[in-house]
Amino acid sequence: MPGISSLRRFLVDSVEQEPVQEVCELCATPVPPQHPHLVQVAERRMLCACGPCGFLFDNPGAGGGGYRRVPDRYLSDPEFRLTDAQWDELQIPVSMAFFLHNSAQGKVIACYPSPAGATESELGLESWATGLGAGRLAAALEPDVEALLVRRDKAGSGAAGSAEGLLVPIDACYRLVGLVKLHWRGFDGGAEAWHEIDGFFEALREQARPVPPATGPEA
Ligand SMILES: [Zn+2]
Ligand SMILES: [Zn+2]
């Protein structure tokens, strides 16, 4: 019975997690694993795009539908500082979080990865402006499509209170959230999860360039 054997093959394939062919969510063209992403700003939804559709939205303000292309720059700031008091005020239960401007709501949103996915809380604009938002990475952030990713040193490693900040495309944060969701075990995540997280941050650092000095009154 060919019907049953092909059904069985289909089930086996699904269990083995054969990679699904991703398609452009605007024109349905199949896309390679590395492809542009767009953000639908009002709905805060991320879409996969093919090269030509991504190109359409390259310029801010171009195209319709409220889409913005996710850039592919990674910036680091060797002078990034975050005090214990600033971090405590954020009340984030894990040692990493990312922050983005939501232009539709005119708010800064703090998110952190958790086993259940991304958890978010709104940030008071004053505490943002005087804390994390005062740094050079925050000043360079593009709304909706880039995030300030912050990681605190785990207890026992390095100087207490030290933190790292990176400006990353928002799709990198989605990857981090997916990683945590997949590998996190128990209360503290477990060795495997932290191995994955360390590797993820290592790869970001390798791609990151130092943030250029602030220029002009608009920066
Ligand atoms: Zn397309
Ligand atoms: Zn995609």
Side-chain angles (χ1 to χ4, degrees):
M1 291 198 287
I4 285 188
S5 77
S6 61
L7 175 64
R8 183 165 302 139
R9 194 177 317 128
F10 171 76
L11 289 174
V12 169
D13 286 351
S14 328
V15 168
E16 286 173 359
Q17 301 254 319
E18 193 150 295
V20 186
Q21 173 64 61
E22 286 186 283
V23 297
C24 172
E25 291 178 69
L26 294 181
C27 74
T29 304
V31 293
Q34 293 278 347
H35 50 259
H37 288 118
L38 303 173
V39 168
Q40 216 288 334
V41 173
E43 297 169 25
R44 289 186 54 211
R45 196 163 72 87
M46 195 172 78
L47 297 86
C48 300
C50 67
C53 286
F55 183 73
L56 280 178
F57 298 96
D58 254 351
N59 303 314
Y67 294 108
R68 297 197 62 191
R69 178 167 180 168
V70 178
D72 55 7
R73 65 174 180 166
Y74 295 79
L75 301 176
S76 62
D77 179 4
E79 284 161 31
F80 181 81
R81 294 287 177 272
L82 179 68
T83 64
D84 285 342
Q86 286 169 341
W87 180 255
D88 292 345
E89 195 184 340
L90 298 169
Q91 298 194 304
I92 288 173
V94 289
S95 58
M96 56 201 159
F98 54 95
F99 303 85
L100 64 149
H101 282 286
N102 177 254
S103 64
Q105 293 176 288
K107 284 175 182 154
V108 177
I109 294 170
C111 300
Y112 60 89
S114 83
T119 305
E120 67 173 61
S121 59
E122 272 170 32
L123 214 61
L125 276 177
E126 308 90 272
S127 69
W128 168 257
T130 56
L132 277 170
R136 286 155 78 201
L137 291 175
L141 264 188
E142 278 205 43
D144 308 303
V145 290
E146 289 182 328
L148 174 59
L149 177 62
V150 174
R151 181 169 174 191
R152 295 263 294 176
D153 275 335
K154 279 177 283 173
S157 71
S162 66
E164 175 179 22
L166 293 161
L167 183 152
V168 301
I170 192 68
D171 49 5
C173 298
Y174 280 70
R175 288 206 305 278
L176 176 63
V177 168
L179 220 100
V180 167
K181 213 171 155 181
L182 190 62
H183 297 284
W184 196 271
R185 299 284 177 274
F187 179 69
D188 65 352
E192 186 197 332
W194 284 105
H195 177 76
E196 295 287 334
I197 293 164
D198 286 343
F200 174 84
F201 274 87
E202 193 55 49
L204 295 187
R205 266 175 228 128
E206 276 168 22
Q207 290 184 72
R209 294 173 292 111
V211 61
T215 49
E218 59 170 8

